Amino acid sequence: MPLRKNNLKIILFQLVILPFLFSCNSSSSSSSSSSSTVSCSSSSSTVSNSGSYLVKGGFGLFANGGNGVKYGNFELYLMGLIPPSEVEDIVYFEDVTQTTDDLNNRCSDGEWCPIFHSTSKKTLSITQLEQNYGKRAPDSSQSQKSFNAMVMMISKTDLTQSEIVDLSNDVNYFDNASENYGNFAWATGSRASLTLDNLTNSLKDNSTTSYTYNNRDYKIMDNGSFVSVLISDSE
């Protein structure tokens, strides 16, 4: 995973299944502000229908919650970490629209509750998915549970010692076997392990930790925590 020098955080991309979907009626209190308070009630219907919905706490187009959200059970199924029996139904919406006032909407408690409108709310079960696309193979009883990966820092200048220490700490935190908020063990519920460091153990020739390839210098840093790559100003 390439990281720029001005961003030393490890980014874990996640598909976030929104956990706070509510169905709202069409009435709203009038207000002089651009935000309105919408009366809403929870929705558990699996019947396709049109309507207006809100997400308590808001949502965005990507990385909702970032590393602060665990993998959803559909993601865990795709990773081979849980059986299909543990996958909840997936709710999705078609023909979604939203106005500026919808985006700025607030619930009665003042929390941000953007609204969106949809002509169709649908529910997709894991049974339907497996019928249409096949079952995950191998299944969770036979799938890989231990993974290796590498963090690569791309920089135009050599890293300072402080930057090396910061990134090494991030790497060690993220692949720690103990469940800590935001790391891989926590995100998977300790169903799998990830190793990012100890890169020197993966080398065919570990007599050196510096390499040149295509006129570019690669260095394994801090006893194998990550790889540093220098690039030119024109890149």
Side-chain angles (χ1 to χ4, degrees):
M1 181 187 303
L3 300 177
R4 292 291 177 177
K5 183 176 178 180
N6 60 357
N7 183 3
L8 299 181
K9 293 183 179 179
I10 296 174
I11 302 172
L12 175 63
F13 290 102
Q14 298 179 353
L15 169 66
V16 179
I17 299 175
L18 302 174
F20 299 112
L21 284 176
F22 293 86
S23 174
C24 302
N25 62 34
S26 59
S27 63
S28 61
S29 61
S30 60
S31 171
S32 58
S33 66
S34 60
S35 301
S36 60
T37 301
V38 177
S39 172
C40 55
S41 58
S42 63
S43 172
S44 58
S45 173
T46 58
V47 178
S48 298
N49 59 357
S50 61
S52 298
Y53 306 87
L54 64 80
V55 178
K56 191 172 178 62
F59 63 94
L61 298 178
F62 62 92
N64 291 275
N67 281 10
V69 179
K70 294 184 177 183
Y71 288 117
N73 55 16
F74 183 58
E75 291 174 296
L76 294 173
Y77 166 77
L78 293 177
M79 295 167 68
L81 301 183
I82 62 172
S85 59
E86 295 183 26
V87 179
E88 298 174 356
D89 290 344
I90 298 173
V91 177
Y92 67 99
F93 301 85
E94 295 181 341
D95 300 323
V96 173
T97 59
Q98 184 183 60
T99 67
T100 301
D101 284 346
D102 292 335
L103 178 63
N104 295 326
N105 181 70
R106 298 279 172 177
C107 282
S108 57
D109 59 3
E111 188 172 3
W112 184 39
C113 296
I115 299 171
F116 65 89
H117 312 278
S118 170
T119 61
S120 180
K121 172 188 175 183
K122 295 184 177 180
T123 300
L124 188 63
S125 69
I126 188 62
T127 300
Q128 291 171 300
L129 284 169
E130 290 188 334
Q131 288 175 345
N132 292 335
Y133 303 104
K135 296 183 178 182
R136 205 267 186 207
D139 63 21
S140 59
S141 65
Q142 302 293 325
S143 62
Q144 180 180 350
K145 303 297 191 302
S146 179
F147 302 91
N148 295 319
M150 181 182 72
V151 174
M152 181 177 291
M153 170 62 73
I154 299 174
S155 175
K156 293 182 179 180
T157 59
D158 287 328
L159 302 178
T160 66
Q161 183 59 36
S162 176
E163 289 171 332
I164 292 173
V165 170
D166 285 344
L167 184 53
S168 294
N169 288 340
D170 283 344
V171 169
N172 293 332
Y173 182 90
F174 191 72
D175 72 356
N176 193 292
S178 300
E179 290 191 33
N180 297 307
Y181 178 79
N183 72 358
F184 187 76
W186 174 84
T188 61
S190 294
R191 295 177 177 90
S193 63
L194 174 68
T195 300
L196 296 175
D197 50 11
N198 297 322
L199 293 176
T200 52
N201 294 334
S202 300
L203 297 175
K204 292 182 178 179
D205 178 10
N206 57 11
S207 62
T208 180
T209 56
S210 298
Y211 305 87
T212 300
Y213 181 73
N214 285 346
N215 298 319
R216 182 167 289 162
D217 294 329
Y218 296 80
K219 296 180 181 179
I220 297 179
M221 309 295 293
D222 202 33
N223 296 318
S225 290
F226 62 96
V227 175
S228 174
V229 184
L230 290 178
I231 62 175
S232 65
D233 290 336
S234 62
E235 293 183 270

